[in-house]
Amino acid sequence: MALIGKIREHSGLAVGIIAAGLLLFVVGGEIMKLIPQFSSENAQDIAEIAGKTVKYDEYNALVEELKANFEASQGRPADEYSMQNIRQQAWEQLIVKHAYQNEFNELGLEVTAEEVVDMVQGKNIHPMLANAFKNPQTGQFDVNQVRGFLQAIKSSIQAIQAGQQPQVPVAQIQSWYSFEKQLGPERLRKKYESLMRLSTYVTKAEAKKSYLASQTKADFKYLFVPYYSIVDSTVKVTDEQLEDYLSKHKEEFKIAEAKASVDYVSFPIVPSAKDSLAFGNELTRIATEFAATKDDSAFVRANAETAQLPYYTNLSGVPQQLKDKGLVEDVVVGPVNEGNAIKFYKLAGVRNDSVYSIKASHILIAPTEKTDAAKAIAKTKAEDLLKQLKGGADFATLARANSTDPGSAQNGGDLGWFKENAQMVKPFLDAAFAKATPGLVANVVESDFGFHIIKITEPKTNKEYLVATVDKQLVPSSETQEAIYQKAQDFLSKSRTKDAFVAEAKKANIPVSPGDNFTKNSTYVAGLSEVRGLVRWVFKDAKVGDVSKEVFSCGNNYVVAVVKSKVEEGYPKAADIKDELTAKVRKGLKAKTILEKLNKTKGTFEQIAAAYGPSAQVNVAPETSFGYNSFGALGEDPATVGKSFALAKVGAKTAALEGENGVAIIELLKKTTPTEIADYSQQKNQMIGNSLYRTEFNINTAIKDAAKIEDNRYKFE
């Protein structure tokens, strides 16, 4: 059925639906109940969200749904990177379900069944559907295509129930029902966000204040002594000072999420020389047998890493290496080094398609507005460019400089290959396919988008090419992996304490790498991927100073680690954040020393600087804006900038100020205050726009904070 072919063609719909969260037809529920971890009676708490306890089986069901539908749509197993994204999607869905729903209920927000139907077949079509179900002739959404697809789904379900082959693949049926299931929650969230956006308001007084702040400028002269001018080692910090500072700044150091740091040694899992030799022999075998085989599909299935079966494509999809060989059937090209894989290509067949394809470039000149005068100007410009091209001008250069089609302009106007039934405006398609040979279309072509100058770059053709591909990767053999693992295991057996770990690394000349400040749900640790086992051990079982009890497999490395530090949520102890506290206290002690020395000297800036010493700088910061939080050598320092602009008279000076990066004395040389304006609407609209831009993020942050989320995923994955 043509419609089903269209759905397959628009794989973007399936991908988009999956991104929204897909419905898995759960099979084998009774079997799952036999496994204690998944039994509802034994389900463990994985989180608490907005006062509600979330069980592991609820979270895991979402993960499995997303995983199954990802694999159905992509045609491959979900790798670790994909699983990380899938787990995060599942987690976000749980937050929406348990935290957002409270907000929806309190406001009485709901989405009716009629609204859902309206999003699928009514006046307010969901953007994903509007893009997927277009009439190829008009380029507009066609509701009849949706209805036809829904009828095909209904018939397919009946066929499945009758034990017959369904018209629509089961994966597509799953995707559709999951997509439809998500329409209501998605619309509900958008309603809520729209309400919040409507609450955004900026008063005239706020707009005026912002305008004056952004336009007020001043020239300052300043004396500045940076903290780095005092060597850290000369400033002694005591434990008592650290404790005192922490007690006075508790909130500043409150930890929102537990963190840990490790030191680790890694043993890269890389192919050996023996593996490389065997791989070379394997490539020779493939080249010989691939050329001789009569069943390319079976050969690809048996030998390729990704097992992508032979497929028909137009010339655009044919690898360049086959084109360079003249598109001769049954000739194997390779080995070809393409990134992480070695590939062999073979042209297994050629056929004629019922639809022609062509490759072309264009320059689009769109009118600046929808008036006859604007159209006339655009047409004149297009005709002038066509004249230049006929005179020998370079098409790509003129396209980049003049085309109003951003998608193709950056590529010199290149549109690539497209078919007669492509979703393009009809006048353009008619003109392109009317000229079968390469070259310029004689006249400018008008469409709803403007005026096109068209150049055919490859002749019209209906040939399709059957391309077979075998890809191989050089990977460590199981024998090599075992040998590397034994090295790591040997290191571990000699490193049961932190001191032994350090000594053994030094003896074996293995670098020790830091993995700092990762959290319970981190998926990467400083140079390592696939670290969930390591992270789970650190937070669940380990204490500071512990060496890992096992060798961890982290991506392409075997790893042995020692816990360097752990800091739990809440208010830390001084010992837990000693380095950070020491830097703060040391800065304060430096400021005190500088202030005492500066305050002993009077006179001009130059006189004070001369008395202080060479580390005191005197400079001028002209045209400083009150709207910025820095100037000159002071760097980012909002408080000091504010005090500087508070100076009322030219010649007035601040006292010596303890700033973020040093101590400064500021003198006002000149201040320019803008004249008030009658209308602050532009400033007001800009402030509203900035606020609206942050609305979704701010809502999400506020709801998560209010939900007081306790996240224990690290215990399970």
Side-chain angles (χ1 to χ4, degrees), residues 591-604:
K592 183 179 179 181
T593 300
I594 296 169
L595 284 166
E596 289 175 351
K597 192 171 180 180
L598 286 176
N599 289 333
K600 290 178 181 178
T601 310
K602 305 296 180 184
T604 65

Side-chain angles (χ1 to χ4, degrees), residues 369-423:
E369 54 187 44
K370 294 182 179 181
T371 64
D372 291 341
K375 288 176 64 175
I377 293 171
K379 183 177 182 181
T380 299
K381 180 177 180 180
E383 290 175 339
D384 178 63
L385 291 172
L386 180 59
K387 186 181 297 184
Q388 293 180 49
L389 291 167
K390 289 179 177 178
D394 181 66
F395 192 97
T397 300
L398 289 186
R400 291 189 185 97
N402 297 278
S403 182
T404 56
D405 176 5
S408 65
Q410 60 184 353
N411 298 319
D414 185 19
L415 295 168
W417 286 87
F418 52 91
K419 293 187 174 184
E420 288 178 296
N421 58 358
Q423 292 183 10

Side-chain angles (χ1 to χ4, degrees), residues 213 215-221 620-627 631 641 644-647 650 666-673:
Q215 298 301 314
T216 298
K217 297 185 183 299
D219 295 347
F220 295 112
K221 184 176 183 180
V620 174
E623 288 291 302
T624 301
S625 173
F626 185 55
F631 66 78
V641 172
S644 301
F645 273 92
L647 295 169
V650 171
I666 317 293
E667 178 184 356
L668 178 63
L669 300 179
K670 176 186 176 183
K671 184 187 284 186
T672 304
T673 304

Side-chain angles (χ1 to χ4, degrees), residues 358-674:
I358 202 167
K359 186 179 182 184
S361 297
H362 85 142
I363 299 173
L364 174 65
I365 305 299
T368 55
E369 54 187 44
K370 294 182 179 181
T371 64
D372 291 341
K375 288 176 64 175
I377 293 171
K379 183 177 182 181
T380 299
K381 180 177 180 180
E383 290 175 339
D384 178 63
L385 291 172
L386 180 59
K387 186 181 297 184
Q388 293 180 49
L389 291 167
K390 289 179 177 178
D394 181 66
F395 192 97
T397 300
L398 289 186
R400 291 189 185 97
N402 297 278
S403 182
T404 56
D405 176 5
S408 65
Q410 60 184 353
N411 298 319
D414 185 19
L415 295 168
W417 286 87
F418 52 91
K419 293 187 174 184
E420 288 178 296
N421 58 358
Q423 292 183 10
M424 296 178 171
V425 286
K426 192 172 185 301
F428 177 89
L429 284 174
D430 290 346
F433 282 93
K435 182 175 176 59
T437 57
L440 285 168
V441 172
N443 299 307
V444 168
V445 176
E446 182 180 359
S447 77
D448 291 340
F449 293 103
F451 297 90
H452 305 261
I453 303 162
I454 305 171
K455 180 182 180 181
I456 307 304
T457 53
E458 292 286 350
K460 181 171 68 175
T461 178
N462 67 340
K463 288 191 179 301
E464 289 193 323
Y465 303 88
L466 183 62
V467 177
T469 305
V470 174
D471 63 322
K472 302 295 289 185
Q473 288 184 313
L474 173 57
V475 295
S477 64
S478 57
E479 178 184 351
T480 298
Q481 292 184 55
E482 180 61 25
I484 297 169
Y485 179 80
Q486 286 303 322
K487 286 183 181 179
Q489 189 66 42
D490 181 60
F491 178 93
L492 177 61
S493 68
K494 299 174 182 177
S495 308
R496 298 317 310 148
T497 66
K498 180 179 179 181
D499 290 342
F501 174 94
V502 173
E504 185 62 25
K506 185 175 181 179
K507 178 182 176 182
N509 196 28
I510 302 174
V512 177
S513 302
D516 293 335
N517 295 322
F518 56 89
T519 65
K520 292 177 179 178
N521 293 307
S522 291
T523 53
Y524 295 94
V525 172
L528 299 175
S529 61
E530 300 178 34
V531 295
R532 293 306 306 157
L534 170 63
V535 171
R536 186 167 54 250
W537 165 72
V538 169
F539 284 102
K540 190 176 180 181
D541 302 316
K543 300 187 297 293
V544 173
D546 282 359
V547 178
S548 54
K549 294 181 176 63
E550 62 179 294
V551 174
F552 292 107
S553 178
C554 300
N556 295 320
N557 294 276
Y558 290 124
V559 171
V560 178
V562 58
V563 182
K564 186 164 53 177
S565 67
K566 288 179 72 174
V567 181
E568 297 299 325
E569 297 97 335
Y571 298 101
K573 297 176 182 178
D576 294 334
I577 53 170
K578 187 172 183 177
D579 291 344
E580 188 177 355
L581 275 178
T582 299
K584 292 279 189 180
V585 173
R586 184 186 289 125
K587 186 170 80 168
L589 294 173
K590 288 183 178 183
K592 183 179 179 181
T593 300
I594 296 169
L595 284 166
E596 289 175 351
K597 192 171 180 180
L598 286 176
N599 289 333
K600 290 178 181 178
T601 310
K602 305 296 180 184
T604 65
F605 281 177
E606 287 75 15
Q607 290 169 334
I608 297 172
Y612 185 93
S615 56
Q617 312 168 17
V618 178
N619 218 322
V620 174
E623 288 291 302
T624 301
S625 173
F626 185 55
Y628 293 100
N629 291 322
S630 66
F631 66 78
L634 275 65
E636 189 79 11
D637 197 341
T640 301
V641 172
K643 292 172 182 176
S644 301
F645 273 92
L647 295 169
K649 296 180 180 180
V650 171
K653 298 178 182 177
T654 67
L657 302 172
E658 179 181 343
E660 292 294 322
N661 303 300
V663 175
I665 306 173
I666 317 293
E667 178 184 356
L668 178 63
L669 300 179
K670 176 186 176 183
K671 184 187 284 186
T672 304
T673 304

